[in-house]
Amino acid sequence: MSIDSLQVMGRAITLAKQAGKAVKSNPQVGCVIMNNGRVIGEGYHQVYGQSHAEVNALNSVTDKSLIPGSTAYVTLEPCNHAGKTPPCSQRIIDEKIAHVVIGCLDPTPLVDGKGLQYLKANGIKTTLLDLDECKALIRPFVTNQLLQRPYIIIKYAQSKDGYIGQLDKQINITSMDTNVLTHMWRGEIDGILIGNNTALIDNPSLTTRHYPGDNPLRIVIDYSHKIPKTSKLLSDGLPTLIINGDKSESSDQVKYLKIPKDKLYTDGMRLLHQRGIYKLMIEGGSKTIQGFVDANVWDEARVITSNRNLNEGVPAPQIRGKQVHTLTLSNDKIITLHNA
């Protein structure tokens, strides 16, 4: 595969990411259509339940006579089943596209290679790139489909000497630039979860106030009912979900979800998925994060290390995974890990 073709797929990946969380439990997918080295159409899956990337790309082509014989670059294997929309593989065949370059296969049961085989059986040339960048795009989708739980992102900041904070004291160890970035992350997820100790010590808002975006649903684990009604999470008018062991009730702002403590990582995560939490960020504290790590119920970790020493305090969680990305921002080092 030539570097030009990889660049075209890179453009399709960029398009796919524009959807953000609007695709809900569907995958982020981008598509570019080329004819004689020229882009004639582009598209991506924009909104859950609406047209897929291939259809949007085909619909964007101004001169439809250029479609037959063209090459479609799509980040994910085209579907071969009818769901909320018709199958994309059939549309590709009907439009007489000659060649489909696929970023990665779809491992979920409804597709799982069937789209690729259907294209081949109908005379369409196919090339599978099997790119890690394309697989990364569909990690949340695959987790949602195969495990029926949210894609879980663990996020925490630690000092240079390995402490997540100080005992019973709110402290910020990262730069303002990093804080803005983390608020951008909040706008990309459906739910944000903390334990009751973090709620008591920090009295957080857990909103996107430093970056434009929709606030995620705030979720607090509080089996001991320690959070006072005067806390921001229970009094600022924004929705909060309290995971507890003995009641399920709701008011205008606060809903209680009853989940047995020993079922938090299984039934609890499935219930959150059923409530539309497709991406969930665990923000603290150390005990809550370590619980998800020890249960091996996590998919991605974003670990921020500042250049500041605390000398003492609460030890940071211990987590291991495949390092996939590193960023330095205002002297803070941010490492992204994937759970294999």
Side-chain angles (χ1 to χ4, degrees):
M1 186 59 55
S2 70
I3 187 65
D4 288 343
S5 294
L6 291 176
Q7 288 175 345
V8 176
M9 188 60 74
R11 171 60 182 165
I13 292 169
T14 299
L15 289 167
K17 292 178 179 178
Q18 292 182 24
K21 63 182 180 183
V23 295
K24 297 186 178 181
S25 60
N26 278 357
Q28 293 181 339
V29 184
C31 180
V32 177
I33 302 174
M34 302 282 291
N35 182 295
N36 290 324
R38 183 167 64 93
V39 175
I40 61 170
E42 292 186 337
Y44 62 97
H45 180 37
Q46 298 180 15
V47 179
Y48 175 81
Q50 296 185 13
S51 300
H52 288 184
E54 301 93 322
V55 172
N56 286 333
L58 285 164
N59 290 344
S60 77
V61 178
T62 303
D63 185 352
K64 305 299 184 185
S65 69
L66 297 175
I67 295 177
S70 63
T71 298
Y73 295 79
V74 60
T75 57
L76 181 65
E77 173 186 6
C79 63
N80 191 40
H81 64 279
K84 293 183 180 298
T85 60
C88 295
S89 54
Q90 187 60 56
R91 176 70 183 271
I92 288 169
I93 293 165
D94 292 343
E95 296 278 4
K96 296 181 172 58
I97 287 177
H99 185 191
V100 179
V101 181
I102 299 169
C104 69
L105 294 178
D106 182 339
T108 58
L110 277 175
V111 185
D112 196 20
K114 299 181 184 73
L116 177 64
Q117 293 304 318
Y118 188 71
L119 292 173
K120 287 182 176 180
N122 283 272
I124 307 294
K125 179 183 177 182
T126 60
T127 301
L128 175 62
L129 300 183
D130 199 33
L131 296 176
D132 288 342
E133 295 92 334
C134 293
K135 293 177 183 178
L137 278 176
I138 65 166
R139 280 176 62 86
F141 164 69
V142 172
T143 296
N144 293 165
Q145 293 295 313
L146 298 186
L147 301 181
Q148 292 296 298
R149 65 159 174 80
Y151 181 80
I152 295 175
I153 304 166
I154 287 172
K155 171 256 168 180
Y156 63 91
Q158 62 182 0
S159 62
K160 190 176 181 180
D161 52 355
Y163 295 102
I164 198 172
Q166 295 184 333
L167 289 171
D168 301 323
K169 180 180 178 183
Q170 183 182 13
I171 185 170
N172 187 12
I173 60 175
T174 57
S175 69
M176 187 60 197
D177 287 340
T178 300
N179 291 343
V180 171
L181 176 64
T182 60
H183 282 227
M184 183 187 79
W185 290 344
R186 288 178 180 178
E188 297 170 348
I189 59 173
D190 304 297
I192 184 168
L193 182 146
I194 61 172
N196 59 8
N197 281 340
T198 299
L200 288 169
I201 295 168
D202 293 350
N203 192 22
S205 297
L206 303 181
T207 63
T208 60
R209 61 193 179 278
H210 293 318
Y211 193 91
D214 296 331
N215 293 320
L217 176 65
R218 303 170 313 180
I219 305 167
V220 187
I221 301 171
D222 188 19
Y223 284 97
S224 55
H225 298 291
K226 288 183 178 179
I227 305 173
K229 292 183 179 180
T230 54
S231 71
K232 293 176 184 176
L233 293 171
L234 302 187
S235 65
D236 65 2
L238 299 175
T240 299
L241 180 69
I242 306 293
I243 293 176
N244 72 110
D246 52 40
K247 63 179 179 178
S248 293
E249 58 187 50
S250 64
S251 64
D252 290 340
Q253 176 182 348
V254 184
K255 290 182 170 60
Y256 290 85
L257 180 61
K258 181 179 177 181
I259 299 171
K261 204 168 187 178
D262 62 346
K263 300 292 185 182
L264 173 63
Y265 305 113
T266 52
D267 295 354
M269 294 304 104
R270 282 195 289 271
L271 285 171
L272 290 182
H273 180 259
Q274 291 170 11
R275 285 171 171 253
I277 306 300
Y278 304 116
K279 288 184 179 180
L280 175 67
M281 182 173 285
I282 315 296
E283 277 216 4
S286 185
K287 181 180 177 181
T288 298
I289 290 171
Q290 197 65 54
F292 278 86
V293 172
D294 291 346
N296 199 32
V297 182
W298 67 280
D299 303 287
E300 182 177 322
R302 299 171 186 175
V303 182
I304 305 164
T305 304
S306 78
N307 65 348
R308 177 181 175 184
N309 287 320
L310 291 181
N311 300 316
E312 61 180 5
V314 180
Q318 299 298 307
I319 188 168
R320 292 184 178 181
K322 179 184 177 183
Q323 185 172 320
V324 295
H325 189 258
T326 302
L327 171 69
T328 299
L329 188 62
S330 297
N331 295 319
D332 296 327
K333 185 177 181 180
I334 305 168
I335 294 176
T336 301
L337 306 171
H338 282 170
N339 188 351

